[in-house]
Amino acid sequence: SESPVVYGTCDPTFDWVCLLPIDLPHDQLLDIEVFDRDKFKPDEFLGRIENKVVDLIESGGKDICLELCDASGNRGYNGKLYFRTEWRPLQMPQGGMSIK
């Protein structure tokens, strides 16, 4: 999924919600890549964060700050991401599910 672009600032606030299906929280990773989008040049890769889904669930909805890792593996040179996650387990119907 892709967030909207925020133009005209080096310190954007996205205020963006994304719903992601989680099947195996202990085995899945959340991988976020950040790019600088310009109108007349190719998008510039600023960095990425990668975090275990189970760690995000255990954060209990608290604010999280992670430093971006650039293409060379260096952390913190291209900024930080501040975000919050919320775990909402699916509710199973009473009596379980049936497939027909």
Side-chain angles (χ1 to χ4, degrees):
S1 185
E2 190 172 307
S3 73
V5 176
V6 178
Y7 290 104
T9 180
C10 291
D11 190 17
T13 299
F14 294 95
D15 195 22
W16 175 63
V17 174
C18 177
L19 302 176
L20 303 170
I22 305 298
D23 297 319
L24 302 166
H26 291 278
D27 298 329
Q28 288 179 272
L29 297 173
L30 175 66
D31 186 20
I32 300 174
E33 294 183 337
V34 179
F35 291 84
D36 179 22
R37 180 169 286 171
D38 294 312
K39 292 183 183 205
F40 303 108
K41 296 190 278 184
D43 294 348
E44 176 186 1
F45 177 74
L46 294 178
R48 74 184 315 158
I49 60 140
E50 187 175 273
N51 209 325
K52 294 178 182 178
V53 169
V54 70
D55 292 343
L56 298 173
I57 292 169
E58 290 173 357
S59 73
K62 296 178 184 166
D63 290 341
I64 298 168
C65 174
L66 296 174
E67 294 179 328
L68 290 174
C69 187
D70 67 18
S72 300
N74 299 312
R75 293 193 176 278
Y77 292 112
N78 289 343
K80 300 175 183 178
L81 285 182
Y82 295 87
F83 61 99
R84 181 180 305 160
T85 60
E86 184 177 335
W87 172 248
R88 294 183 183 180
L90 293 175
Q91 298 297 321
M92 297 297 286
Q94 284 189 337
M97 293 178 54
S98 64
I99 300 173
K100 295 182 181 183

